[in-house]
Amino acid sequence: MSELVYESKGIIVHIKGPVVEAEGMRGAKIREVVYVGEERLIGEIVRIEGDKAIIQVYEPTGGVKAGEPVERTGEPLSAELGPGLLGQVLDGLGRPLEVIAEKAGGPFITRGIKAPTLPRDKKWQWTPLVKPGDDVVAGDVLGTVPEGSVTHKIMLPPTIEKAKVIEVLPEGDYTIEEPVVVVEHIGGKEEVKMYHKWPVRTPRPFKEKLAPVELLVTGQRVIDTFFPIVKGGTSAVPGGFGTGKTVTLHQISKWADADVVVYVGCGERGNEMTDLLHTFPKLVDPKSGKPLLERSVLIANTSNMPVPAREASIFMGITYAEYYRDMGLHVVLTADSTSRWAEALRELSSRLEEIPSERGYPAYLPDYIASFYERAGRIKVRGRRDELGSVAVIGAVSPSGGDLNEPVTQHTMRYVGAFWALDKDLAFKRHFPSINWLRSFSKYTGGLKEWWIKNTGHDMMAYRDKAMDLLQRASSLEEVARVVGEAALSDENRLVLLSAELIKEGFLVQNAYHEVDTYCSPKKQALLLKTLLEFYDRARPIIDAGVPISRIAEMKSLGLLRRLKFVPEEEFENAVKEAIAQLEAEISSLLAEVR
Amino acid sequence: MSVYGLTFKGIDQVKGPLVIMRGVPGAAYEEVVRIYSEDGREWFGQVLEAGRDKVVIQVLGDTEGLDSNAMVKFTGSTLKIPVSDEMLGRVFNGAGEPIDGGPKIRADDYRDINGAPINPAKRDYPDEFIETGISAIDGMLSLVRGQKLPIFSESGLPHNEVAAQVARQAIVPGKAERFSIVFAAVGLKYDDVLFFRRQFEEFGALSRSVLFLNLANDPVIERITTPRVALTAAEYLAFDLGMDVLVIITDMTNYCEALRELSSAREEVPSRKGYPGYMYSDLASIYERAGRIIGRPGSITFMPILTMPGGDLTHPIPDLTGYITEGQIFLDLDLHNRGIYPPINVLPSLSRLMKDGIGPGKTREDHKEVSDQLYAAYSQGTKARELVQIVGEAGLSPREKLYLEFARRFEREFVAQGFRERRNIEETLNIAWDILSILPEAELTRISEKTLNKFHPKRRIAAQAEGE
Ligand SMILES: Nc1ncnc2c1ncn2[C@@H]1O[C@H](COP(=O)(O)OP(=O)(O)O)[C@@H](O)[C@H]1O
Ligand SMILES: [Mg+2]
């Protein structure tokens, strides 16, 4: 019996883990998506040698045999972009996990499941903004639909540069498969639906990249005040296991003042995704008043899911982020962990027998990391509208052995604007977030002075410098104290230690699980830091007057100051007044004693 | 064009645990094969590379005695074991075959030992407190039902005792049923196995446990299958039969070493210290099998034991493990040498799932704050202790002396307890308050005013006096 073989079908000749070789693939393109074997597993062509293609398969290949077919699709790995992304939980290839569960008929993930990202049967409430006869260019808004907590703009996709509108569906409810607009361009007529596909490894176009200048408020004090990130900025969070990377990213995805959040769980724990799935529907987005889940896209490609899909998941995520950016929205993408993503690359590279560079990573690792972070930014959107959008990217880095000198951390450091170095010793003492104030940096602080003054009325960057100075002095004094003991230091120096301790306990330490402390507004941050700095300013003169440090350390007001952060925003100003009044009273009585 | 069911005579090459064959074009990737030598010996193997021109097979067991005349039979299936409730009370080897002289298991089903990933959207969040009766764990590293929490140890430390004590004492408060136990020994000495067996026997758990034994003198390659076989059994008990299963696997370091050996036999490019670059993902495929599933009653709580080579926490084995598991219980040589049992050093230890498993309605409302404060204070205390080494106790400030005393009492009264001593969570937290109350209240910055009022022993006494 002979079988009709399509020209586009190849034959598997070798299988080794996720890497499959197929022959009869002439004409196939690099990065083309293919279906591998009888079960039609999803794969991507990563190398072409004559009529042979090397394929990276995104699903487990157990049971696949030489001789089975490979089907070509002619398309690169793409993201589906349109209404229906928000609130979804997707795997690294953009398949909704709920649909996978349905099709698999149980809680375990099986192979060969095809599930489109966007729901096909859901109807969206379409409001057209163009009419027949209008000239439109790529990026122009054709109409809108409400989606979750945003107004989703249906734009002329980047693939159509210029066109004339011929037909428009009237206001009403439609699925994404219905052509809401028909346009005519040089190539002829084209139907425009509410969604289109975009290759995930290609950045989406924009008019112009602008310098990012606006603080991305995260509500995390040590970040906003000491090592801020801006809308459209980039940041890396490196740290050994248990230092707080994931909690930091969770906090940001909960509290950041963004319109849309894309959370990519890449090669990490299943229960951490479950945690988000449990909390996001319950937490309310202060901006829209809707559940947080409705402004979020979650990608879960956990550590036990196929490794190659980790590699894809980050590009999938950044493509979603760019799409919402193009609507003129502010987007935050958090990726936990970019190290697992780089390791997936290393694994593929080693299976392809490429020459390894540092620690087995391929020599092109830096370009690869750059290709991700460079898709962040604040931009002018395309189309004839004067709108800005941004994508901020925050990536966790999991250095092996906690050693920040390894290649992924080092290369990442070169491309990010902020660097939050997590510190094992701080984590061991439960000083969280364990962001080390001496080893972290943010290149954005310079531009934010005005922002703080305008938004809080405080010159926060000046407070920051003052606090930083105290912390640095304390750190060198601690070195000395480690050798001679604290008791051997002068009272003046011990006051520096005490004041720095107050800033650490009272400001830097922030408990993600405390109902008040979990979020701190910029206004509260400013007033809190100002108040804590006053302790040093007021105690300093009385040391000169001869009050012993031991008496100062016993002051009741110190306890009040240390716990000020737990006071809710509404009561905060009053609590500050009380604490300062008590501090003043205690200081006068101490002074009276020595006089 | 499958070779399923076919037998081939003759192999081209034997290289360590690998067998290479040519001219078997239809072999399936990861398919299991049986290999027979002319003198009637039998091996298990698995297809590692399936090519039209070349098939590479990884053989389980020692390949000595294998030669080019061997017969190879392709089974068309991946590695599966029979599962049923008859496994309870039985002992198996690392390939899942009974070794207790009893009959074969009447299979309810056959399951692939690699399992399949749990869909993250179908996981149920673990948030039920397990009371182990050990203060350091319950108070500061609370274990929850469905968590994976390893013990990081060193050879010579009592990790077996700690694991056995947990197995003996663990209960979910309010639930009548006890944990079933799946125990797997990976490259263990017989003495250690005997210890666990006696323990299970002594507290009457043998009939609700399943043992998988790969001893030190058993084939190294079976160390790769042992944990997987054990978890396959555990998954069946938990997610099919609805049992709460506690899985103890020891020593995962032997597993990792077997993985390294195998990788080097395959001539793969090694990552740190010769361990393969995929060890993280490989370990994750084991550890992530713990958990709970929406709509199913059972759970897998996983307490693997590993010994840190050279006591080094940054060694690739504990390092990669810590990146995967939901915390770690760190046993400390120094505490052990000072006679503290269990020698748990809480500072490098962590339970990531503690936050949702404790608090009002689960343990007690002050639990979280007390735990945070204990960490902060004990860390101050250890800092003071280091200082004593340099400047002597006389060089300490009064505050530092207080913390030194705190650390001493914390270790002696809170951490230390008997192997047979079971403290409930109330007792644990009360001991904590006793020790915390030697510090001035201004130092208790992690505890709110409200909690201080309700639980601080001095305030309670004062409140009582006022009331009278
Ligand atoms: N801001 C925080 N507040 C309170 N606890 C924290 C905070 N950050 C981290 N932790 C604690 O540290 C543990 C480990 O944090 P996690 O983010 O999971 O670490 P990593 O991702 O670096 O391994 C958490 O389970 C939690 O107990
Ligand atoms: Mg993490």
Side-chain angles (χ1 to χ4, degrees):
Chain A
M1 194 183 72
S2 65
E3 195 187 316
L4 180 67
V5 176
Y6 290 102
E7 232 180 16
S8 61
K9 267 195 187 171
I11 296 284
I12 296 175
V13 294
H14 199 90
I15 308 111
K16 185 181 182 188
V19 174
V20 165
E21 261 179 61
E23 279 179 3
M25 298 289 289
R26 194 166 295 281
K29 290 189 288 288
I30 202 104
R31 292 300 179 193
E32 180 175 339
V33 170
V34 292
Y35 295 131
V36 176
E38 310 286 359
E39 285 186 77
R40 302 179 74 234
L41 309 178
I42 302 169
E44 191 182 0
I45 297 179
V46 290
R47 189 189 279 172
I48 292 173
E49 296 162 359
D51 90 324
K52 208 193 247 179
I54 315 281
I55 300 157
Q56 145 163 268
V57 185
Y58 287 123
E59 300 181 82
T61 51
V64 177
K65 300 183 287 290
E68 290 188 24
V70 173
E71 259 174 72
R72 290 178 43 199
T73 65
E75 281 184 20
L77 187 67
S78 302
E80 276 190 4
L81 304 173
L85 280 170
L86 297 182
Q88 288 251 39
V89 192
L90 307 168
D91 78 350
L93 302 177
R95 296 177 295 186
L97 285 171
E98 283 295 343
V99 179
I100 291 183
E102 241 167 68
K103 293 202 172 175
F108 296 97
I109 298 179
T110 56
R111 301 190 306 186
I113 291 177
K114 307 283 177 293
T117 306
L118 301 173
R120 291 301 193 268
D121 47 0
K122 183 165 172 154
K123 294 205 167 181
W124 300 92
Q125 197 189 327
W126 157 257
T127 308
L129 292 177
V130 291
K131 53 185 189 315
D134 285 355
D135 288 317
V136 286
V137 300
D140 274 354
V141 182
L142 307 176
T144 62
V145 300
E147 184 201 11
S149 57
V150 308
T151 299
H152 191 116
K153 292 176 178 157
I154 308 296
M155 298 165 286
L156 191 66
T159 43
I160 307 175
E161 277 297 335
K162 230 168 109 175
K164 190 179 274 301
V165 176
I166 312 182
E167 284 169 48
V168 180
L169 285 186
E171 204 168 303
D173 293 346
Y174 306 103
T175 68
I176 57 164
E177 288 289 12
E178 291 171 84
V180 279
V181 174
V182 180
V183 297
E184 185 164 44
H185 54 82
I186 306 173
K189 277 191 188 177
E190 190 165 336
E191 295 181 336
V192 180
K193 298 176 179 175
M194 288 192 215
Y195 82 106
H196 65 279
K197 289 187 179 178
W198 186 261
V200 297
R201 295 176 201 278
T202 310
R204 284 174 66 84
F206 48 82
K207 257 191 220 146
E208 191 186 337
K209 210 166 209 173
L210 307 169
V213 288
E214 194 184 338
L215 181 71
L216 175 73
V217 177
T218 68
Q220 312 304 303
R221 290 184 293 264
V222 59
I223 294 176
D224 293 351
T225 300
F226 284 85
F227 308 104
I229 178 170
V230 287
K231 290 180 177 156
T234 51
S235 172
V237 199
F241 63 85
T243 52
K245 298 179 293 296
T246 302
V247 174
T248 304
L249 296 195
H250 281 200
Q251 285 297 92
I252 290 173
S253 55
K254 284 176 193 164
W255 300 115
D257 65 335
D259 301 306
V260 169
V261 171
V262 179
Y263 187 101
V264 187
C266 173
E268 292 285 312
R269 301 177 185 85
N271 278 329
E272 291 173 346
M273 296 310 299
T274 315
D275 188 4
L276 287 183
L277 284 176
H278 272 239
T279 47
F280 270 31
K282 290 182 216 145
L283 291 173
V284 171
D285 173 13
K287 262 191 171 166
S288 65
K290 296 197 169 150
L292 268 189
L293 195 60
E294 294 191 14
R295 70 163 196 185
S296 317
V297 186
L298 305 182
I299 299 181
N301 207 89
T302 53
S303 57
N304 54 341
M305 287 160 74
V307 174
R310 267 182 222 167
E311 202 268 318
S313 67
I314 295 250
F315 290 111
M316 202 55 84
I318 192 92
T319 307
Y320 297 144
E322 285 176 341
Y323 175 62
Y324 283 98
R325 170 203 71 184
D326 291 347
M327 294 176 205
L329 298 173
H330 296 293
V331 185
V332 173
L333 177 137
T334 53
D336 189 8
S337 158
T338 62
S339 295
R340 306 300 165 220
W341 168 71
E343 282 162 16
L345 185 75
R346 175 172 72 183
E347 203 167 316
L348 175 67
S349 162
S350 114
R351 287 193 195 267
L352 295 178
E353 293 173 3
E354 292 173 343
I355 298 167
S357 173
E358 291 165 279
R359 299 235 184 141
Y361 288 102
Y364 51 82
L365 176 72
D367 301 336
Y368 183 77
I369 293 175
S371 76
F372 167 53
Y373 283 101
E374 274 167 10
R375 289 173 75 169
R378 179 165 160 269
I379 56 115
K380 269 193 187 157
V381 305
R382 289 186 96 196
R384 285 164 309 175
R385 57 198 162 113
D386 222 1
E387 280 184 297
L388 302 180
S390 71
V391 174
V393 168
I394 301 166
V397 184
S398 320
S400 50
D403 167 19
L404 300 192
N405 288 317
E406 57 87 48
V408 180
T409 317
Q410 285 300 311
H411 293 306
T412 302
M413 212 167 176
R414 291 164 46 199
Y415 301 112
V416 294
F419 186 78
W420 304 326
L422 303 188
D423 183 329
K424 186 174 96 238
D425 291 329
L426 290 177
F428 281 5
K429 307 192 226 193
R430 271 53 180 176
H431 173 124
F432 286 119
S434 72
I435 295 177
N436 181 305
W437 47 93
L438 301 176
R439 274 190 294 156
S440 303
F441 66 77
S442 165
K443 295 178 186 162
Y444 305 118
T445 48
L448 291 172
K449 193 177 174 75
E450 293 310 316
W451 187 95
W452 280 98
I453 295 175
K454 194 169 137 229
N455 287 277
T456 69
H458 289 273
D459 185 359
M460 189 60 158
M461 292 295 102
Y463 302 164
R464 171 194 192 269
D465 293 344
K466 207 165 157 189
M468 201 61 166
D469 177 59
L470 265 176
L471 290 168
Q472 274 162 355
R473 276 161 65 197
S475 153
S476 20
L477 287 171
E478 270 163 18
E479 291 292 311
V480 181
R482 246 192 288 283
V483 183
V484 298
E486 200 186 309
L489 298 181
S490 69
D491 276 11
E492 202 183 310
N493 283 338
R494 288 175 67 186
L495 178 66
V496 172
L497 287 181
L498 188 65
S499 307
E501 199 55 48
L502 176 61
I503 288 170
K504 290 181 211 167
E505 273 293 325
F507 192 86
L508 298 178
V509 170
Q510 186 170 0
N511 188 344
Y513 306 133
H514 188 283
E515 55 172 333
V516 173
D517 206 25
T518 185
Y519 176 84
C520 190
S521 73
K523 270 212 169 83
K524 183 174 166 187
Q525 294 187 32
L527 186 54
L528 179 60
L529 189 57
K530 176 172 183 271
T531 311
L532 299 186
L533 286 168
E534 276 188 29
F535 171 77
Y536 179 74
D537 290 342
R538 290 176 192 246
R540 184 69 188 72
I542 69 167
I543 292 258
D544 292 339
V547 176
I549 183 75
S550 54
R551 298 302 307 279
I552 295 178
E554 278 167 6
M555 290 195 297
K556 283 238 159 54
S557 48
L558 206 48
L560 288 184
L561 290 172
R562 283 186 184 131
R563 295 204 194 94
L564 261 186
K565 61 183 183 185
F566 294 127
V567 178
E569 305 259 350
E570 319 79 76
E571 303 156 31
F572 190 63
E573 272 183 45
N574 268 336
V576 166
K577 282 193 195 121
E578 275 169 35
I580 293 283
Q582 170 129 16
L583 177 66
E584 277 171 350
E586 282 180 296
I587 283 191
S588 341
S589 79
L590 284 177
L591 265 180
E593 268 179 45
V594 292
R595 289 210 177 112
Chain B
M1 216 183 43
S2 153
V3 291
Y4 159 53
L6 296 183
T7 304
F8 292 80
K9 184 162 164 51
I11 53 185
D12 291 285
Q13 201 184 345
V14 182
K15 207 167 88 181
L18 303 183
V19 160
I20 294 161
M21 296 177 72
R22 289 179 209 283
V24 197
Y29 177 64
E30 284 188 339
E31 162 175 27
V32 168
V33 300
R34 285 170 188 278
I35 306 176
Y36 307 94
S37 65
E38 282 179 319
D39 57 8
R41 287 168 65 197
E42 187 185 340
W43 289 264
F44 255 114
Q46 193 171 20
V47 175
L48 207 61
E49 237 180 274
R52 185 179 52 190
D53 309 319
K54 174 178 145 188
V55 172
V56 180
I57 295 163
Q58 172 187 310
V59 180
L60 297 184
D62 195 346
T63 49
E64 208 188 290
L66 253 190
D67 60 27
S68 56
N69 291 325
M71 312 265 281
V72 181
K73 182 178 177 193
F74 287 79
T75 67
S77 147
T78 50
L79 208 54
K80 289 185 173 159
I81 59 158
V83 290
S84 87
D85 60 356
E86 291 180 8
M87 295 182 297
L88 290 165
R90 301 289 306 273
V91 185
F92 304 86
N93 68 9
E97 298 156 341
I99 50 170
D100 53 3
K104 280 203 163 164
I105 297 295
R106 271 174 304 176
D108 195 37
D109 196 3
Y110 289 85
R111 296 277 162 93
D112 186 328
I113 65 160
N114 292 308
I118 303 179
N119 187 326
K122 291 290 147 195
R123 277 185 188 271
D124 207 352
Y125 194 63
D127 59 1
E128 286 163 281
F129 178 69
I130 295 176
E131 194 179 70
T132 68
I134 299 176
S135 288
I137 297 179
D138 294 351
M140 301 175 75
L141 304 164
S142 314
L143 176 68
V144 298
R145 196 164 75 91
Q147 183 173 11
K148 40 188 180 291
L149 187 62
I151 297 178
F152 282 13
S153 187
E154 282 182 66
S155 41
L157 296 186
H159 39 263
N160 290 348
E161 283 77 0
V162 175
Q165 190 170 2
V166 169
R168 164 158 38 89
Q169 298 181 349
I171 55 158
V172 174
K175 273 187 116 180
E177 221 177 304
R178 302 296 307 262
F179 283 89
S180 305
I181 297 168
V182 168
F183 173 84
V186 182
L188 227 57
K189 292 198 307 271
Y190 192 66
D191 285 355
D192 292 324
V193 171
L194 216 55
F195 168 81
F196 277 104
R197 256 192 108 136
R198 285 221 190 91
Q199 286 293 319
F200 297 160
E201 204 164 0
E202 189 186 305
F203 59 87
L206 222 41
S207 61
R208 51 185 161 91
S209 21
V210 192
L211 274 55
F212 295 91
L213 306 182
N214 166 274
L215 299 182
N217 52 353
D218 285 336
V220 170
I221 192 82
E222 268 182 30
R223 291 181 195 152
I224 303 291
T225 55
T226 310
R228 293 184 163 83
V229 167
L231 281 157
T232 305
E235 273 174 356
Y236 178 79
L237 298 177
F239 303 131
D240 285 71
L241 303 185
M243 297 179 182
D244 284 321
V245 184
L246 176 68
V247 178
I248 297 174
I249 299 188
T250 174
D251 176 338
M252 281 303 286
T253 297
N254 294 334
Y255 170 84
C256 294
E257 268 154 20
L259 200 65
R260 174 168 68 174
E261 212 173 302
L262 191 68
S263 168
S264 96
R266 292 179 190 170
E267 295 176 354
E268 292 165 339
V269 185
S271 178
R272 262 172 86 215
K273 297 212 163 141
Y275 295 92
Y278 51 77
M279 191 155 90
Y280 172 84
S281 303
D282 184 278
L283 287 173
S285 73
I286 294 175
Y287 291 134
E288 281 286 324
R289 293 172 79 170
R292 290 172 56 197
I293 289 177
I294 293 175
R296 306 216 177 171
S299 62
I300 296 181
T301 307
F302 191 4
M303 185 170 275
I305 298 172
L306 62 85
T307 45
M308 297 176 284
D312 176 11
L313 190 59
T314 67
H315 182 281
I317 296 174
D319 187 49
L320 293 178
T321 305
Y323 272 119
I324 300 164
T325 52
E326 284 144 353
Q328 64 278 343
I329 296 172
F330 185 102
L331 301 191
D332 189 307
L333 186 61
D334 177 54
L335 284 175
H336 177 66
N337 288 342
R338 283 192 281 126
I340 309 262
Y341 173 89
I344 297 173
N345 183 350
V346 295
L347 297 178
S349 301
L350 169 70
S351 167
R352 294 166 188 267
L353 299 184
M354 176 168 179
K355 65 176 167 87
D356 293 310
I358 63 169
K362 295 188 170 171
T363 54
R364 216 169 74 179
E365 62 195 277
D366 57 331
H367 191 163
K368 169 81 180 129
E369 292 174 38
V370 167
S371 163
D372 285 351
Q373 190 66 61
L374 288 173
Y375 276 113
Y378 182 53
S379 124
Q380 294 270 9
T382 54
K383 206 171 109 190
R385 184 180 288 150
E386 280 165 28
L387 205 55
V388 173
Q389 310 282 323
I390 305 164
V391 297
E393 212 165 322
L396 298 189
S397 67
R399 181 169 174 265
E400 286 164 336
K401 279 190 192 139
L402 210 50
Y403 274 111
L404 188 65
E405 171 64 5
F406 173 87
R408 201 188 60 78
R409 288 191 55 188
F410 173 77
E411 289 166 0
R412 296 276 156 205
E413 295 168 32
F414 186 84
V415 176
Q417 71 184 79
F419 175 57
R420 294 181 188 282
E421 181 184 355
R422 185 179 198 294
R423 298 183 189 150
N424 65 31
I425 186 66
E426 285 279 330
E427 289 167 319
T428 290
L429 292 173
N430 292 344
I431 298 173
W433 275 112
D434 270 351
I435 310 170
L436 283 173
S437 65
I438 71 170
L439 299 173
E441 284 181 22
E443 295 288 330
L444 304 180
T445 52
R446 307 277 165 106
I447 303 181
S448 66
E449 201 56 28
K450 194 173 133 221
T451 307
L452 282 177
N453 276 335
K454 191 157 173 193
F455 292 97
H456 196 292
K458 284 181 192 152
R459 293 206 188 175
R460 273 166 51 193
I461 292 166
Q464 260 168 17
E466 228 165 76
E468 273 160 19

